[in-house]
Amino acid sequence: MRIGELSARTGVSRRSLRYYEEQGLLVSSRSPSGQRYYDEGHVERVALIQAFLGAGLSSGTIATMVPCMAEPSASRAERALEVMGRERDRLSSAIESLTAARTALDRLIDENRRYLAAAPPSAAPAPR
């Protein structure tokens, strides 16, 4: 498939797809005229890149973390494992913080509902 179809199927702009390729996150084959061609595996890879970016990882971190997106080697795999562990810890901490914030918000919502249920009906504002 060409870049326009990959863009349509993933919801990612052509510009972003070109950027991913510049960063080594995607590797396309090229026609003799230089057109990029992608296969079905690229759809899944773009979804993975989007998930990682949405979780706050930079494209550089993604490229380091996932050596299979570039040319794999033992040293890259070791570095990737280190980065993966660090990013997993960071995400776990963020999830814990978000969970605590949601729990606090749930308590405030419950308190507000109880208050409103017990409060007398509010008077309509006076017309001006």
Side-chain angles (χ1 to χ4, degrees), residues 1-49:
M1 77 187 82
R2 293 182 16 191
I3 195 167
E5 185 179 346
L6 182 61
S7 175
R9 290 188 55 193
T10 61
V12 175
S13 71
R14 293 175 189 200
R15 182 176 181 209
S16 291
L17 295 172
R18 288 185 196 100
Y19 174 77
Y20 297 166
E21 196 163 336
E22 288 171 14
Q23 298 300 304
L25 303 177
L26 287 178
V27 179
S28 63
S29 58
R30 297 286 184 128
S31 71
S33 64
Q35 290 182 327
R36 292 172 170 90
Y37 284 98
Y38 302 93
D39 60 34
E40 287 299 316
H42 288 98
V43 174
E44 196 172 304
R45 179 164 301 166
V46 170
L48 179 62
I49 293 166

Short mmCIF file of all heavy atoms in Angstrom, two decimals, residues 1-49:
data_model
loop_
_atom_site.label_atom_id
_atom_site.label_comp_id
_atom_site.label_asym_id
_atom_site.label_seq_id
_atom_site.Cartn_x
_atom_site.Cartn_y
_atom_site.Cartn_z
N MET A 1 0.85 -1.16 0.00
CA MET A 1 0.00 0.00 0.00
C MET A 1 0.90 1.23 0.00
O MET A 1 2.01 1.19 0.50
CB MET A 1 -0.95 -0.02 1.19
CG MET A 1 -0.36 0.36 2.53
SD MET A 1 -1.45 0.14 3.94
CE MET A 1 -1.22 -1.61 4.22
N ARG A 2 0.39 2.31 -0.52
CA ARG A 2 1.15 3.56 -0.55
C ARG A 2 0.86 4.37 0.70
O ARG A 2 -0.01 4.03 1.50
CB ARG A 2 0.82 4.31 -1.83
CG ARG A 2 1.36 3.52 -3.01
CD ARG A 2 1.20 4.07 -4.37
NE ARG A 2 0.88 5.47 -4.50
CZ ARG A 2 0.51 6.00 -5.64
NH1 ARG A 2 0.41 5.28 -6.73
NH2 ARG A 2 0.23 7.28 -5.71
N ILE A 3 1.59 5.44 0.88
CA ILE A 3 1.52 6.22 2.12
C ILE A 3 0.11 6.77 2.37
O ILE A 3 -0.33 6.82 3.51
CB ILE A 3 2.59 7.34 2.13
CG1 ILE A 3 2.74 7.89 3.55
CG2 ILE A 3 2.28 8.41 1.10
CD1 ILE A 3 3.96 8.76 3.74
N GLY A 4 -0.61 7.14 1.31
CA GLY A 4 -1.96 7.66 1.49
C GLY A 4 -2.90 6.62 2.09
O GLY A 4 -3.73 6.94 2.94
N GLU A 5 -2.77 5.39 1.64
CA GLU A 5 -3.62 4.32 2.18
C GLU A 5 -3.24 4.01 3.62
O GLU A 5 -4.12 3.80 4.47
CB GLU A 5 -3.52 3.06 1.32
CG GLU A 5 -4.47 1.98 1.78
CD GLU A 5 -4.43 0.71 0.93
OE1 GLU A 5 -3.85 0.74 -0.16
OE2 GLU A 5 -4.98 -0.30 1.40
N LEU A 6 -1.94 3.98 3.91
CA LEU A 6 -1.51 3.74 5.30
C LEU A 6 -2.04 4.86 6.20
O LEU A 6 -2.53 4.60 7.30
CB LEU A 6 0.01 3.65 5.38
CG LEU A 6 0.59 3.34 6.76
CD1 LEU A 6 0.10 1.99 7.30
CD2 LEU A 6 2.11 3.39 6.72
N SER A 7 -1.98 6.07 5.71
CA SER A 7 -2.50 7.21 6.46
C SER A 7 -4.00 7.05 6.72
O SER A 7 -4.46 7.24 7.85
CB SER A 7 -2.23 8.50 5.69
OG SER A 7 -2.82 9.60 6.32
N ALA A 8 -4.74 6.69 5.69
CA ALA A 8 -6.19 6.52 5.84
C ALA A 8 -6.52 5.38 6.79
O ALA A 8 -7.44 5.49 7.61
CB ALA A 8 -6.82 6.28 4.47
N ARG A 9 -5.79 4.30 6.71
CA ARG A 9 -6.09 3.13 7.55
C ARG A 9 -5.71 3.33 9.00
O ARG A 9 -6.31 2.71 9.89
CB ARG A 9 -5.40 1.89 6.98
CG ARG A 9 -6.06 1.46 5.67
CD ARG A 9 -5.56 0.15 5.16
NE ARG A 9 -5.70 -0.92 6.12
CZ ARG A 9 -5.10 -2.10 5.99
NH1 ARG A 9 -4.34 -2.34 4.94
NH2 ARG A 9 -5.27 -3.02 6.89
N THR A 10 -4.72 4.18 9.27
CA THR A 10 -4.26 4.36 10.65
C THR A 10 -4.74 5.66 11.27
O THR A 10 -4.63 5.82 12.49
CB THR A 10 -2.71 4.34 10.70
OG1 THR A 10 -2.21 5.41 9.89
CG2 THR A 10 -2.16 3.00 10.22
N GLY A 11 -5.21 6.58 10.45
CA GLY A 11 -5.61 7.89 10.97
C GLY A 11 -4.43 8.78 11.30
O GLY A 11 -4.57 9.79 11.99
N VAL A 12 -3.26 8.43 10.82
CA VAL A 12 -2.04 9.19 11.06
C VAL A 12 -1.69 9.94 9.78
O VAL A 12 -1.75 9.39 8.70
CB VAL A 12 -0.89 8.24 11.48
CG1 VAL A 12 0.43 8.99 11.62
CG2 VAL A 12 -1.24 7.53 12.78
N SER A 13 -1.34 11.20 9.92
CA SER A 13 -1.06 12.02 8.74
C SER A 13 0.14 11.49 7.96
O SER A 13 1.03 10.83 8.51
CB SER A 13 -0.80 13.47 9.15
OG SER A 13 0.45 13.57 9.81
N ARG A 14 0.16 11.80 6.69
CA ARG A 14 1.31 11.43 5.85
C ARG A 14 2.59 12.06 6.40
O ARG A 14 3.65 11.44 6.39
CB ARG A 14 1.08 11.89 4.41
CG ARG A 14 -0.04 11.17 3.72
CD ARG A 14 -0.28 11.75 2.36
NE ARG A 14 -1.50 11.19 1.80
CZ ARG A 14 -1.78 11.20 0.52
NH1 ARG A 14 -0.95 11.75 -0.35
NH2 ARG A 14 -2.89 10.66 0.08
N ARG A 15 2.46 13.28 6.85
CA ARG A 15 3.63 13.97 7.41
C ARG A 15 4.19 13.20 8.61
O ARG A 15 5.41 13.04 8.74
CB ARG A 15 3.22 15.39 7.82
CG ARG A 15 4.35 16.20 8.36
CD ARG A 15 3.90 17.62 8.64
NE ARG A 15 5.01 18.39 9.14
CZ ARG A 15 4.91 19.40 9.94
NH1 ARG A 15 3.71 19.82 10.33
NH2 ARG A 15 5.95 20.06 10.36
N SER A 16 3.31 12.74 9.49
CA SER A 16 3.77 11.97 10.66
C SER A 16 4.40 10.66 10.22
O SER A 16 5.42 10.24 10.79
CB SER A 16 2.60 11.69 11.61
OG SER A 16 2.17 12.89 12.22
N LEU A 17 3.82 10.01 9.23
CA LEU A 17 4.39 8.76 8.74
C LEU A 17 5.79 8.98 8.17
O LEU A 17 6.70 8.18 8.40
CB LEU A 17 3.48 8.11 7.69
CG LEU A 17 2.13 7.65 8.22
CD1 LEU A 17 1.23 7.22 7.06
CD2 LEU A 17 2.28 6.53 9.24
N ARG A 18 5.97 10.06 7.45
CA ARG A 18 7.31 10.39 6.93
C ARG A 18 8.28 10.66 8.09
O ARG A 18 9.44 10.24 8.06
CB ARG A 18 7.24 11.60 6.00
CG ARG A 18 6.60 11.30 4.67
CD ARG A 18 6.68 12.51 3.73
NE ARG A 18 5.75 12.34 2.64
CZ ARG A 18 4.54 12.91 2.56
NH1 ARG A 18 4.13 13.73 3.52
NH2 ARG A 18 3.76 12.68 1.54
N TYR A 19 7.78 11.34 9.11
CA TYR A 19 8.61 11.60 10.29
C TYR A 19 9.00 10.29 10.97
O TYR A 19 10.17 10.12 11.35
CB TYR A 19 7.85 12.50 11.28
CG TYR A 19 8.58 12.71 12.58
CD1 TYR A 19 9.66 13.58 12.66
CD2 TYR A 19 8.20 12.02 13.72
CE1 TYR A 19 10.34 13.76 13.86
CE2 TYR A 19 8.87 12.20 14.92
CZ TYR A 19 9.94 13.07 14.98
OH TYR A 19 10.61 13.24 16.16
N TYR A 20 8.06 9.38 11.11
CA TYR A 20 8.38 8.08 11.71
C TYR A 20 9.48 7.38 10.92
O TYR A 20 10.37 6.75 11.49
CB TYR A 20 7.15 7.17 11.77
CG TYR A 20 6.02 7.66 12.63
CD1 TYR A 20 4.76 7.07 12.53
CD2 TYR A 20 6.16 8.70 13.55
CE1 TYR A 20 3.69 7.51 13.31
CE2 TYR A 20 5.10 9.14 14.32
CZ TYR A 20 3.87 8.54 14.20
OH TYR A 20 2.82 8.96 14.96
N GLU A 21 9.41 7.50 9.62
CA GLU A 21 10.43 6.88 8.78
C GLU A 21 11.78 7.57 8.99
O GLU A 21 12.80 6.90 9.10
CB GLU A 21 10.01 6.93 7.31
CG GLU A 21 10.82 5.98 6.46
CD GLU A 21 10.18 5.68 5.12
OE1 GLU A 21 8.96 5.80 4.97
OE2 GLU A 21 10.95 5.32 4.23
N GLU A 22 11.79 8.89 9.07
CA GLU A 22 13.03 9.62 9.33
C GLU A 22 13.66 9.21 10.65
O GLU A 22 14.88 9.16 10.79
CB GLU A 22 12.76 11.13 9.37
CG GLU A 22 12.45 11.77 8.05
CD GLU A 22 11.99 13.21 8.21
OE1 GLU A 22 12.16 13.79 9.31
OE2 GLU A 22 11.45 13.75 7.23
N GLN A 23 12.81 8.90 11.64
CA GLN A 23 13.28 8.52 12.97
C GLN A 23 13.67 7.04 13.06
O GLN A 23 14.12 6.58 14.10
CB GLN A 23 12.21 8.83 14.02
CG GLN A 23 11.87 10.30 14.13
CD GLN A 23 13.07 11.13 14.50
OE1 GLN A 23 13.72 10.88 15.51
NE2 GLN A 23 13.39 12.12 13.68
N GLY A 24 13.46 6.29 12.00
CA GLY A 24 13.79 4.87 11.99
C GLY A 24 12.73 3.98 12.59
O GLY A 24 12.97 2.81 12.87
N LEU A 25 11.54 4.52 12.78
CA LEU A 25 10.45 3.72 13.36
C LEU A 25 9.71 2.91 12.31
O LEU A 25 9.10 1.90 12.63
CB LEU A 25 9.46 4.65 14.09
CG LEU A 25 10.06 5.51 15.19
CD1 LEU A 25 9.01 6.44 15.77
CD2 LEU A 25 10.70 4.66 16.27
N LEU A 26 9.71 3.39 11.10
CA LEU A 26 9.11 2.68 9.96
C LEU A 26 10.15 2.58 8.86
O LEU A 26 10.94 3.50 8.67
CB LEU A 26 7.92 3.46 9.38
CG LEU A 26 6.63 3.52 10.15
CD1 LEU A 26 5.62 4.39 9.40
CD2 LEU A 26 6.06 2.14 10.36
N VAL A 27 10.12 1.48 8.15
CA VAL A 27 10.99 1.30 6.99
C VAL A 27 10.10 0.84 5.85
O VAL A 27 9.47 -0.20 5.93
CB VAL A 27 12.09 0.26 7.27
CG1 VAL A 27 12.97 0.08 6.04
CG2 VAL A 27 12.94 0.68 8.46
N SER A 28 10.04 1.66 4.82
CA SER A 28 9.23 1.31 3.67
C SER A 28 10.13 0.79 2.56
O SER A 28 11.33 1.04 2.55
CB SER A 28 8.46 2.54 3.16
OG SER A 28 9.36 3.53 2.72
N SER A 29 9.51 0.07 1.65
CA SER A 29 10.24 -0.26 0.42
C SER A 29 9.95 0.88 -0.55
O SER A 29 8.99 1.63 -0.38
CB SER A 29 9.79 -1.62 -0.13
OG SER A 29 8.40 -1.61 -0.37
N ARG A 30 10.78 1.01 -1.55
CA ARG A 30 10.62 2.10 -2.51
C ARG A 30 10.50 1.56 -3.92
O ARG A 30 11.15 0.59 -4.29
CB ARG A 30 11.83 3.05 -2.45
CG ARG A 30 12.04 3.76 -1.14
CD ARG A 30 11.02 4.87 -0.95
NE ARG A 30 11.27 5.62 0.26
CZ ARG A 30 11.37 6.92 0.30
NH1 ARG A 30 11.24 7.65 -0.79
NH2 ARG A 30 11.57 7.54 1.43
N SER A 31 9.66 2.22 -4.68
CA SER A 31 9.54 1.89 -6.10
C SER A 31 10.71 2.55 -6.83
O SER A 31 11.40 3.41 -6.27
CB SER A 31 8.21 2.43 -6.64
OG SER A 31 8.27 3.85 -6.74
N PRO A 32 10.94 2.17 -8.08
CA PRO A 32 12.02 2.82 -8.85
C PRO A 32 11.85 4.34 -8.92
O PRO A 32 12.83 5.08 -8.99
CB PRO A 32 11.91 2.19 -10.23
CG PRO A 32 11.28 0.86 -9.98
CD PRO A 32 10.34 1.08 -8.82
N SER A 33 10.60 4.81 -8.85
CA SER A 33 10.37 6.26 -8.90
C SER A 33 10.43 6.91 -7.51
O SER A 33 10.21 8.10 -7.37
CB SER A 33 9.01 6.55 -9.55
OG SER A 33 7.97 6.02 -8.75
N GLY A 34 10.70 6.12 -6.47
CA GLY A 34 10.87 6.66 -5.13
C GLY A 34 9.62 6.65 -4.26
O GLY A 34 9.66 7.13 -3.14
N GLN A 35 8.51 6.12 -4.76
CA GLN A 35 7.29 6.07 -3.95
C GLN A 35 7.46 5.05 -2.82
O GLN A 35 8.03 3.98 -3.01
CB GLN A 35 6.09 5.69 -4.80
CG GLN A 35 5.69 6.76 -5.77
CD GLN A 35 4.45 6.36 -6.56
OE1 GLN A 35 4.24 5.19 -6.86
NE2 GLN A 35 3.63 7.34 -6.90
N ARG A 36 6.93 5.41 -1.66
CA ARG A 36 6.99 4.52 -0.51
C ARG A 36 5.90 3.46 -0.62
O ARG A 36 4.77 3.76 -0.98
CB ARG A 36 6.77 5.31 0.78
CG ARG A 36 7.86 6.26 1.13
CD ARG A 36 7.42 7.12 2.33
NE ARG A 36 8.49 7.90 2.87
CZ ARG A 36 8.80 9.13 2.46
NH1 ARG A 36 8.08 9.72 1.52
NH2 ARG A 36 9.81 9.78 3.01
N TYR A 37 6.24 2.24 -0.23
CA TYR A 37 5.27 1.15 -0.16
C TYR A 37 5.35 0.49 1.20
O TYR A 37 6.44 0.28 1.73
CB TYR A 37 5.51 0.12 -1.27
CG TYR A 37 5.04 0.60 -2.61
CD1 TYR A 37 5.93 1.15 -3.52
CD2 TYR A 37 3.69 0.53 -2.97
CE1 TYR A 37 5.50 1.62 -4.75
CE2 TYR A 37 3.26 0.99 -4.19
CZ TYR A 37 4.16 1.54 -5.08
OH TYR A 37 3.73 2.01 -6.28
N TYR A 38 4.18 0.19 1.76
CA TYR A 38 4.07 -0.42 3.08
C TYR A 38 3.25 -1.70 2.98
O TYR A 38 2.45 -1.87 2.06
CB TYR A 38 3.37 0.55 4.04
CG TYR A 38 4.09 1.88 4.17
CD1 TYR A 38 3.75 2.96 3.37
CD2 TYR A 38 5.11 2.03 5.09
CE1 TYR A 38 4.41 4.17 3.49
CE2 TYR A 38 5.78 3.25 5.22
CZ TYR A 38 5.42 4.31 4.41
OH TYR A 38 6.08 5.50 4.53
N ASP A 39 3.43 -2.58 3.96
CA ASP A 39 2.63 -3.81 4.00
C ASP A 39 1.71 -3.80 5.22
O ASP A 39 1.69 -2.84 5.99
CB ASP A 39 3.53 -5.05 3.95
CG ASP A 39 4.50 -5.12 5.12
OD1 ASP A 39 4.16 -4.67 6.24
OD2 ASP A 39 5.61 -5.64 4.93
N GLU A 40 0.98 -4.87 5.42
CA GLU A 40 0.03 -4.96 6.53
C GLU A 40 0.69 -4.79 7.89
O GLU A 40 0.09 -4.24 8.81
CB GLU A 40 -0.73 -6.30 6.48
CG GLU A 40 -1.74 -6.39 5.38
CD GLU A 40 -2.84 -5.35 5.50
OE1 GLU A 40 -3.36 -5.14 6.61
OE2 GLU A 40 -3.17 -4.73 4.48
N GLY A 41 1.91 -5.25 8.03
CA GLY A 41 2.61 -5.13 9.30
C GLY A 41 2.83 -3.69 9.72
O GLY A 41 2.92 -3.38 10.91
N HIS A 42 2.88 -2.79 8.74
CA HIS A 42 3.07 -1.38 9.06
C HIS A 42 1.85 -0.78 9.75
O HIS A 42 1.98 0.14 10.56
CB HIS A 42 3.42 -0.59 7.80
CG HIS A 42 4.81 -0.86 7.31
ND1 HIS A 42 5.07 -1.74 6.30
CD2 HIS A 42 6.01 -0.37 7.72
CE1 HIS A 42 6.37 -1.77 6.09
NE2 HIS A 42 6.96 -0.96 6.94
N VAL A 43 0.67 -1.29 9.44
CA VAL A 43 -0.54 -0.79 10.10
C VAL A 43 -0.45 -1.06 11.60
O VAL A 43 -0.70 -0.18 12.43
CB VAL A 43 -1.82 -1.45 9.50
CG1 VAL A 43 -3.06 -1.06 10.27
CG2 VAL A 43 -1.95 -1.10 8.02
N GLU A 44 -0.04 -2.26 11.94
CA GLU A 44 0.12 -2.63 13.35
C GLU A 44 1.24 -1.84 14.00
O GLU A 44 1.13 -1.38 15.14
CB GLU A 44 0.41 -4.13 13.44
CG GLU A 44 0.23 -4.72 14.80
CD GLU A 44 0.34 -6.23 14.76
OE1 GLU A 44 -0.40 -6.88 13.99
OE2 GLU A 44 1.20 -6.74 15.50
N ARG A 45 2.34 -1.65 13.28
CA ARG A 45 3.46 -0.90 13.83
C ARG A 45 3.07 0.55 14.11
O ARG A 45 3.44 1.11 15.14
CB ARG A 45 4.66 -0.94 12.89
CG ARG A 45 5.81 -0.14 13.46
CD ARG A 45 7.12 -0.42 12.84
NE ARG A 45 7.47 -1.81 12.98
CZ ARG A 45 8.44 -2.40 12.29
NH1 ARG A 45 9.13 -1.71 11.42
NH2 ARG A 45 8.70 -3.67 12.45
N VAL A 46 2.33 1.17 13.20
CA VAL A 46 1.89 2.55 13.42
C VAL A 46 0.99 2.63 14.65
O VAL A 46 1.10 3.56 15.45
CB VAL A 46 1.20 3.12 12.16
CG1 VAL A 46 0.52 4.45 12.45
CG2 VAL A 46 2.21 3.28 11.03
N ALA A 47 0.13 1.63 14.84
CA ALA A 47 -0.72 1.61 16.04
C ALA A 47 0.13 1.52 17.30
O ALA A 47 -0.16 2.20 18.30
CB ALA A 47 -1.71 0.45 15.97
N LEU A 48 1.18 0.72 17.26
CA LEU A 48 2.08 0.60 18.41
C LEU A 48 2.80 1.92 18.66
O LEU A 48 2.88 2.39 19.81
CB LEU A 48 3.10 -0.51 18.15
CG LEU A 48 4.13 -0.78 19.24
CD1 LEU A 48 3.47 -1.22 20.53
CD2 LEU A 48 5.12 -1.82 18.76
N ILE A 49 3.29 2.56 17.61
CA ILE A 49 3.95 3.85 17.76
C ILE A 49 2.99 4.86 18.37
O ILE A 49 3.34 5.60 19.29
CB ILE A 49 4.47 4.35 16.39
CG1 ILE A 49 5.60 3.44 15.89
CG2 ILE A 49 4.93 5.80 16.48
CD1 ILE A 49 5.96 3.65 14.42
#
